[in-house]
């Protein structure tokens, strides 16, 4: 059997950095956000469905403008639900296909920001959340060029730290340097993930 790890964390927590470290250690890393982009690429059924629902105001140079789409769904719960109904089943199908193609003993780390929100914990052999001080997360997001109001909205729309901790088998704390996060990743890889993947 392959070993499938769900890796989550709030926006700005450092989960992508943790995913990068897992990749360097030999895991196959798949990013749910990347899948969300690919399932609505031009030429896909998802693309056609998004246009049917939201119209061509979400197009930019013939492709779906994720920023414009994000603004529409952010303040409109029904629009958000409609988009999720188009995207989530397709992402899930891609995920299941990736899992089915794994070799015995292979380790896959699936980076999934909305693990709690999509009730996906039971799809994984092991769940890790990356947590970080809220002010530190805001600081990182500002450094990426996000506006304060957007940061507050995005953080408020995600599951709470308590909710993520409640479903996690392991918590990585990213309040220090990149090296400190790397040491935690290496530790969980060697002490838990590798041994369990070899069972």
């Amino acid at each position: 059997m392959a070993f499938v790890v769900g890796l989550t964390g709030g926006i700005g927590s450092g989960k992508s950095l943790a995913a990068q470290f897992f990749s360097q250690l030999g895991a196959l890393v798949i990013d749910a956000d990347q899948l969300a982009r690919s399932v609505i690429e031009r030429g896909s059924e998802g693309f056609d469905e998004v246009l049917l629902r939201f119209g061509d105001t979400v197009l930019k140079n013939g492709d779906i403008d994720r920023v414009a789409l994000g603004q529409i769904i952010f303040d409109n719960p029904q629009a958000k639900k409609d988009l999720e109904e188009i995207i989530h089943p397709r992402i899930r199908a891609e995920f299941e296909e990736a899992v089915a193609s794994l070799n015995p003993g292979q380790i896959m780390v699936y980076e999934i920001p909305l693990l709690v929100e999509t009730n996906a914990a039971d799809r994984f052999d092991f769940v890790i959340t990356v947590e970080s001080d809220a002010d530190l997360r805001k600081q990182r997001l500002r450094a990426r060029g996000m506006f304060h109001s957007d940061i507050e909205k995005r953080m408020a729309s995600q599951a709470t730290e308590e909710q993520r901790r409640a479903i996690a088998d392991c918590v990585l704390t990213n309040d220090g340097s990149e090296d400190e996060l790397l040491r935690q990743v290496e530790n969980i890889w060697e002490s838990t993930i590798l041994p369990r993947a070899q069972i």
Side-chain angles (χ1 to χ4, degrees):
M1 290 286 288
F3 192 73
V4 184
V5 177
L7 175 67
T8 195
I11 186 170
S13 63
K15 64 187 168 302
S16 295
L17 183 60
Q20 192 182 312
F21 292 150
F22 280 117
S23 174
Q24 288 164 7
L25 290 168
L28 167 69
V29 173
I30 294 180
D31 178 1
D33 280 346
Q34 203 64 51
L35 292 187
R37 283 189 276 276
S38 71
V39 298
I40 56 168
E41 273 177 356
R42 189 177 358 185
S44 68
E45 280 180 19
F47 177 89
D48 296 339
E49 281 197 37
V50 169
L51 285 197
L52 201 61
R53 166 61 181 84
F54 296 97
D56 54 14
T57 53
V58 297
L59 283 183
K60 186 177 183 182
N61 304 325
D63 291 312
I64 288 169
D65 180 351
R66 288 169 60 83
V67 174
L69 190 56
Q71 283 166 344
I72 291 170
I73 67 163
F74 217 85
D75 298 317
N76 184 332
Q78 185 56 52
K80 183 172 186 278
K81 187 170 178 287
D82 292 345
L83 182 64
E84 286 171 351
E85 281 171 4
I86 295 169
I87 290 180
H88 286 174
R90 289 180 165 85
I91 295 174
R92 184 163 187 157
E94 295 268 347
F95 165 79
E96 284 168 0
E97 202 175 301
V99 170
S101 69
L102 294 170
N103 296 319
Q106 195 173 0
I107 298 165
M108 181 172 110
V109 172
Y110 189 59
E111 186 185 342
I112 172 170
L114 303 180
L115 193 150
V116 172
E117 295 86 333
T118 54
N119 297 314
D122 61 350
R123 286 194 256 157
F124 302 100
D125 300 309
F126 195 76
V127 172
I128 298 171
T129 183
V130 182
E131 296 301 331
S132 186
D133 175 74
D135 289 336
L136 197 50
R137 288 167 59 198
K138 289 174 188 175
Q139 200 178 312
R140 290 181 191 133
L141 295 168
R142 281 196 297 273
R144 282 191 216 166
M146 277 182 77
F147 295 114
H148 178 75
S149 58
D150 288 341
I151 292 170
E152 294 290 344
K153 273 186 183 175
R154 286 289 293 277
M155 287 175 76
S157 75
Q158 293 188 328
T160 63
E161 179 176 338
E162 290 70 31
Q163 288 170 313
R164 286 190 297 269
R165 283 176 177 272
I167 53 100
D169 298 297
C170 164
V171 178
L172 303 179
T173 305
N174 184 29
D175 288 338
S177 66
E178 289 190 3
D179 273 353
E180 285 171 274
L181 180 63
L182 173 59
R183 279 198 293 277
Q184 291 178 71
V185 168
E186 286 174 336
N187 182 34
I188 194 68
W189 178 261
E190 283 159 20
S191 68
T192 307
I193 295 174
L194 275 182
R196 285 186 57 179
Q198 285 156 7
I199 291 169

